Amino acid sequence: MLDQFKNLKNLAGMFGNAKELREKFEQLQAELAQRTVEADAGAGAVRVTANGKLQIVRVELDRPLIISLAGEGSQADQEMIEELIASAANAALEKAQEMVRTEYARLVGGMGLPGLEGLMGG
């Protein structure tokens, strides 16, 4: 019987922590939306910036470097540049996802709620 009361107390504590956890998640999501990561492809010919909302916020092309890599104007050159953009974008999104996973795991780990770390990739 004493174990049941202890379990109910633990459950009540978890529900109390759920509200606090939700508030902290909302705050963290707002902070992550402002944070960015960058990735590049083609030795810096293409640089892509993504935010913590997993959105691409900027694509920068180093024109002289692209011309030196791809030349000027052929269909093959355009396809190579498009592949560099896709590669840099994917790398930036992977970095953004890792940033989000790390921050969520840090937040959940600090709450002392067992098992939640795994839900966020921690």
Side-chain angles (χ1 to χ4, degrees):
M1 190 72 147
L2 187 57
D3 285 340
Q4 289 175 335
F5 286 120
K6 187 175 179 181
N7 288 340
L8 286 174
K9 182 179 177 185
N10 289 341
L11 184 60
M14 286 180 65
F15 282 121
N17 285 343
K19 180 181 180 204
E20 180 183 347
L21 182 61
R22 185 181 75 245
E23 290 170 357
K24 286 187 177 188
F25 269 124
E26 289 170 357
Q27 178 183 1
L28 180 58
Q29 285 175 334
E31 291 171 13
L32 286 170
Q34 301 302 311
R35 291 178 57 187
T36 61
V37 294
E38 291 183 353
D40 67 77
V46 176
R47 178 171 302 279
V48 174
T49 304
N51 67 18
K53 289 175 69 175
L54 306 181
Q55 299 170 325
I56 301 298
V57 294
R58 183 175 38 242
V59 176
E60 298 174 66
L61 305 176
D62 184 326
R63 184 166 173 73
L65 190 52
I66 286 176
I67 290 171
S68 73
L69 289 172
E72 294 190 49
S74 76
Q75 180 65 28
D77 296 338
Q78 180 178 338
E79 290 171 5
M80 196 243 348
I81 293 168
E82 291 168 351
E83 289 173 12
L84 289 175
I85 292 170
S87 177
N90 287 327
L93 288 175
E94 286 176 22
K95 285 183 176 185
Q97 288 172 334
E98 182 58 32
M99 176 180 64
V100 169
R101 275 193 298 271
T102 298
E103 293 302 321
Y104 279 179
R106 184 175 297 141
L107 174 65
V108 173
M111 295 296 296
L113 298 175
L116 288 181
E117 291 91 346
L119 292 175
M120 292 296 156

